Every structure is written in C-alpha cells, then in structure tokens.
Amino acid sequence: LHHVQATTITTTARSYTPYTIFFFFLMIRRPPRSTLSSSSAASDVYKRQHMSSVAAATSVGGFKRRQGKNKRSQRALKKMDAKVFENPKKILFLRGANTSDVVNEAMNDLCHITAPLNKKLRKRNAFHAFEGTKHIEFLSFKNDCSLSCFGSDSKKRPHNLVLTRTFDFRVLDMLELGILAMDPLSPENTKDIAGIASIGSKPFFIFEGSEFDTEPFFIRLRSFFLDYFHGSSEPEISLDGVDRAIYISLRSKDGEESVVAPSDDCIGTKPQASKGNTVVCFRHYAVKKTASVVGVARSTAHVQLIDIGPNFDFEVRRVYFSPQAEFKVACKLPREAIAHLKSLHENVSADGLGNLKGQLHIGKQDIAKLNLRRFSAYTKRSKAPGGVVDQDGAPVTEEAPRTRGAKASRGEISFELDNEETAVARNKRRRSVHAGVNPYDEMGPDMDI
C-alpha cells in the first residue's frame, strides 16, 4: 500500500444534515519477474533487457553485464570474466512449475553429492527446457553456472530431469532423463560410513559396456557425465583422498539384449525421430580401504565398495547434442592452457610466453664411435715418430710432395721444401724481400719450386 488519500465533502442544506464522504485510492505494484513467464523467478533484469538488445551485445555469450558500482561488486564481476584457466564448473538446480516428491528428493541428493560446486534456486520457473533454450541460457549466465539441472513433472513425462551443459553460455548438450527407480541418499545408508567417504570430493568413474567406446552417441554421453560429476580440476590428486566411486552402466528398457540409442537432434517443437530403449543405471559407492593399504591398493581384496546412494535408473527420453563442428570448437584449448598442461610433465617447463622447454637425460656417449663425417680440419698430427693419425687414432699415409708446376685444390702454387732447409729458406726469402732483392735469384740448385 503506497498511497492513501482521503477527501472530505461537507454540504449544508435546509432539509439535510451534514455528512462526510471518504475516498480511498490504492496503488498496488506488481512484483518483478525474471523471465517472460508470469510465475518464474530470478530477477527483474531479464524484464528490462530485451532479447534483441542482449543478442547484439559484445560481452560473454552475447549477454551484457552491468558495471559494478563499488569495489566489492567489481571483484565479483571480475571472477565471472572469461579466463584462460576457467573456474570450476558449477551446477544450477532449477524447479519447474510442477515437481513431484521424487524429483525434489532426486535434486536434493544430486545437489548434496556435487557440493560445493552448485547453486540451487528456490523459486519455480514456468517454462519447458526443450521448447526454448533462452531461459536456461540467461539463468546460467546470471548465476555464472555452465551446468544446469531442471526438474519437472507432468502426465506425459513424469519425474523428469533435464541436464544441460553450455559453452559460452549457449546450450551445447541437453539430456532429458525420466526417473524409473530411485534409492535415495538416506541416513540409514550413511550411518555406517563415518570417516570412510566425504561427500563432495572427487570420485572415481566406472563405465561398463562396450558402447561407451564404440558408438558415437554413448561416447558423447560418457563425456557428458564426466563433465557433469567430475568436480574441480586439479592436476594432481592423492589416491588416499579419493573415497567415492560412480558406476554407470546401460541396459534396455524392454528387456532386449541390444541397447538402441535415441535420436540426438530433438530441440524445440520438433518431434523425436527415434526414441530408443536406453536405460542408464547410475550407482554411487564409497571406497573403503583396509588400514594396511597406503596409496594405491595392490589387490582388489583390500578395497571394498559400500552402497551409499543415491542410485537411479534413468530412462533416456529426449536428447539434443550440438553438431560435431561446434563440439570441436568447445573442446579446443588455448595455447597457454596446452603449455601449462604439458609443463606438468617431468623435465618440461614453460615460460611466460607459453614456450615449452624440455630436458633430456641420456647416458654418456663416445663421440669417437659415432658415425659422423670426417673433416680434414679434425685430423691431428702425431708428435711421436710414426707419421700422422686421424681423429680415431688410425695412421694416415702422407701424400708425396708436389712437383714443380703442380697446383693446389684452390688454384694456388704450393712450395714444398726439404725438412732441413725449410726454416732457413723461408727466413732468407723474407729478408731479401725487405731488402729489395729477388729471392729466387739466390736459390741454390738443391731447392725446388
């Protein structure tokens, strides 16, 4: 109630008594809405930003963030900016207009095992995930979550969960799962595992079935589950701290031996081409090791798997996988990230520019035994009487002295003198040149040119 106005009117007449009339004016303001629907809930920012202006923005994912007014908001916005090394992926849990108790309990259990990398909104959202992706994309952008879980319940699709992952805040993959059976994470399952498993830690993954290695649909499905439940991204972990395991297997819904995958291009109001018969069995265990085992267990006899829940049997309903070209772009790593990952290897380092430097450790090598080219410059003369030896120590026969008129390899005349008169003749020739006398006129008969 914002405003109340009272007006008094007084009249006097001969046959009437005075009276007073009160007029009340009520001004009621409608609550803000987050999406185009009248019963959804996030913020009134979506109401003031039209989708055409949002798509024309140049910020992350086509959405535009408002500037921070103080230092605290600016630091919060800086954490949401695009980085070479991105923040750990968080899951956004949303509820539809109608949800059953099974869906609510399943979302609570999934939120519990993925903590603390999740965020849960309490208010309901009256939209359908497969009819339009702009609602999920906006809420993911606003809450800085690249993964989402949307729960709903209807007569056509009871106990429904829609798992989504985005790239650049655009929907990359969507997977609609129907809950056929559920074993919740109850205190009865966890009362005996105190000190064994820490909920929210990084788990092991076990995928049973050859389909996860051969068929493209299930290879993409394995990538989806790994991206959804793997938690934080640490380059190195201690195996003693990994105390949970997620086991995923496949079976057919109708009891057939072969598992048929559904079509993966269902989006909007487009009908599904093939429904398939795939049922995904999701199991959650605690890994218990004996007290004598430290680090990696050498035998499976020292490791026990304790069922702690939640366990699900999911029916795969509608699926949307982005084209292979878009998926390839989403999987591409920056150069700095690749250099950082490679620098984690042994004897490899990286500088600030992303250049890699490696160091190789090899044994001592004997250069004399290597098959290399032999050059005359490497030939060394032995001082001992025995002539000339090469770099390997083998004797080399000396060539005969050049005769008069013979040319060297470069077209020059070489003078070969006897060993006894070489130094004397050279010095005498130099003194004659300085004195202006032709040295060749004084050569004796025993000297050859």
Side-chain angles (χ1 to χ4, degrees):
L1 181 65
H2 292 273
H3 181 67
V4 177
Q5 180 179 357
T7 304
T8 304
I9 302 177
T10 305
T11 59
T12 56
R14 295 179 180 179
S15 58
Y16 299 99
T17 57
Y19 61 92
T20 303
I21 301 176
F22 294 92
F23 296 93
F24 296 93
F25 300 93
L26 301 179
M27 297 178 60
I28 300 176
R29 182 183 178 186
R30 295 184 62 183
R33 297 198 298 260
S34 61
T35 63
L36 299 179
S37 178
S38 59
S39 61
S40 56
S43 172
D44 57 349
V45 180
Y46 188 87
K47 179 181 177 182
R48 295 193 297 265
Q49 290 182 347
H50 193 268
M51 292 304 298
S52 61
S53 61
V54 170
T58 57
S59 58
V60 178
F63 297 99
K64 185 178 180 180
R65 298 188 189 274
R66 292 181 295 179
Q67 298 293 333
K69 296 182 179 180
N70 49 35
K71 295 294 184 181
R72 181 179 179 182
S73 60
Q74 291 176 2
R75 288 194 299 267
L77 292 176
K78 188 175 181 180
K79 294 181 181 179
M80 300 181 182
D81 292 340
K83 309 177 185 63
V84 176
F85 303 99
E86 293 289 347
N87 303 328
K89 296 182 179 181
K90 296 189 297 182
I91 305 176
L92 179 65
F93 288 91
L94 304 170
R95 292 194 301 169
N98 298 318
T99 54
S100 62
D101 295 338
V102 175
V103 172
N104 293 333
E105 192 171 7
M107 293 180 65
N108 291 334
D109 291 346
L110 292 177
C111 184
H112 189 61
I113 65 175
T114 57
L117 299 176
N118 56 46
K119 186 174 183 180
K120 187 176 181 180
L121 300 184
R122 297 181 179 180
K123 295 184 180 180
R124 297 185 178 273
N125 299 271
F127 63 85
H128 300 283
F130 273 84
E131 293 183 0
T133 60
K134 57 184 179 181
H135 305 283
I136 294 181
E137 290 174 354
F138 170 75
L139 293 175
S140 299
F141 168 77
K142 183 180 181 300
N143 296 277
D144 193 27
C145 297
S146 57
L147 305 171
S148 65
C149 177
F150 182 81
S152 62
D153 180 70
S154 63
K155 184 177 180 180
K156 186 177 181 181
R157 296 182 178 89
H159 313 315
N160 200 47
L161 291 178
V162 179
L163 309 182
T164 308
R165 65 172 171 177
T166 61
F167 171 69
D168 198 19
F169 296 107
R170 298 296 181 187
V171 170
L172 185 68
D173 297 329
M174 294 183 69
L175 182 65
E176 187 178 50
L177 304 174
I179 303 176
L180 300 179
M182 176 182 174
D183 184 13
L185 181 66
S186 59
E188 289 77 9
N189 295 343
T190 58
K191 63 181 180 180
D192 296 331
I193 63 169
I196 299 177
S198 56
I199 302 300
S201 61
K202 201 174 184 67
F204 289 109
F205 286 91
I206 305 171
F207 292 91
E208 182 183 2
S210 59
E211 294 85 358
F212 288 113
D213 298 325
T214 56
E215 299 187 17
F217 177 86
F218 295 106
I219 293 175
R220 188 78 168 265
L221 185 65
R222 180 183 62 181
S223 172
F224 185 91
F225 281 117
L226 286 174
D227 206 10
Y228 210 88
F229 294 102
H230 85 286
S232 57
S233 300
E234 289 87 3
E236 296 181 358
I237 59 175
S238 175
L239 293 180
D240 291 333
V242 183
D243 49 14
R244 296 188 302 123
I246 293 178
Y247 177 86
I248 298 177
S249 61
L250 301 174
R251 69 176 178 88
S252 60
K253 182 180 179 182
D254 48 10
E256 296 181 359
E257 295 182 358
S258 62
V259 178
V260 180
S263 58
D264 57 357
D265 57 349
C266 185
I267 194 66
T269 58
K270 181 180 178 181
Q272 191 174 8
S274 175
K275 294 184 178 180
N277 61 352
T278 305
V279 175
V280 178
C281 301
F282 182 93
R283 303 292 183 263
H284 186 226
Y285 298 99
V287 179
K288 182 180 179 181
K289 300 179 181 180
T290 59
S292 60
V293 177
V294 179
V296 182
R298 298 180 180 274
S299 175
T300 57
H302 300 284
V303 179
Q304 298 179 4
L305 295 181
I306 303 177
D307 187 5
I308 60 175
N311 301 324
F312 301 97
D313 283 353
F314 291 123
E315 175 192 2
V316 180
R317 292 174 177 169
R318 291 182 293 179
V319 180
Y320 169 72
F321 287 159
S322 61
Q324 190 64 27
E326 297 181 8
F327 184 73
K328 185 177 180 180
V329 173
C331 296
K332 186 177 181 180
L333 294 177
R335 180 184 176 186
E336 294 82 357
I338 297 176
H340 174 71
L341 294 176
K342 291 184 177 180
S343 63
L344 299 177
H345 295 277
E346 188 177 0
N347 301 326
V348 179
S349 61
D351 55 10
L353 300 178
N355 300 321
L356 295 176
K357 296 181 179 180
Q359 185 177 5
L360 298 179
H361 296 275
I362 58 177
K364 184 178 180 181
Q365 295 182 352
D366 189 1
I367 302 179
K369 296 181 180 180
L370 295 179
N371 188 12
L372 303 176
R373 293 183 61 186
R374 267 63 174 178
F375 298 95
S376 59
Y378 296 157
T379 303
K380 54 184 178 180
R381 298 180 179 274
S382 176
K383 296 182 180 179
V388 182
V389 296
D390 58 4
Q391 57 183 357
D392 295 336
V396 178
T397 58
E398 296 184 357
E399 297 180 356
R402 297 182 182 273
T403 58
R404 183 174 182 176
K407 295 185 179 180
S409 58
R410 296 188 179 182
E412 298 178 354
I413 298 177
S414 60
F415 297 88
E416 296 291 343
L417 303 179
D418 294 338
N419 295 332
E420 299 178 356
E421 301 180 359
T422 300
V424 178
R426 186 185 301 112
N427 295 333
K428 185 177 180 180
R429 188 166 58 252
R430 289 176 180 175
R431 289 193 300 268
S432 301
V433 170
H434 290 291
V437 182
N438 188 358
Y440 299 105
D441 294 342
E442 300 179 1
M443 284 188 176
D446 296 335
M447 302 181 66
D448 297 333
I449 298 178

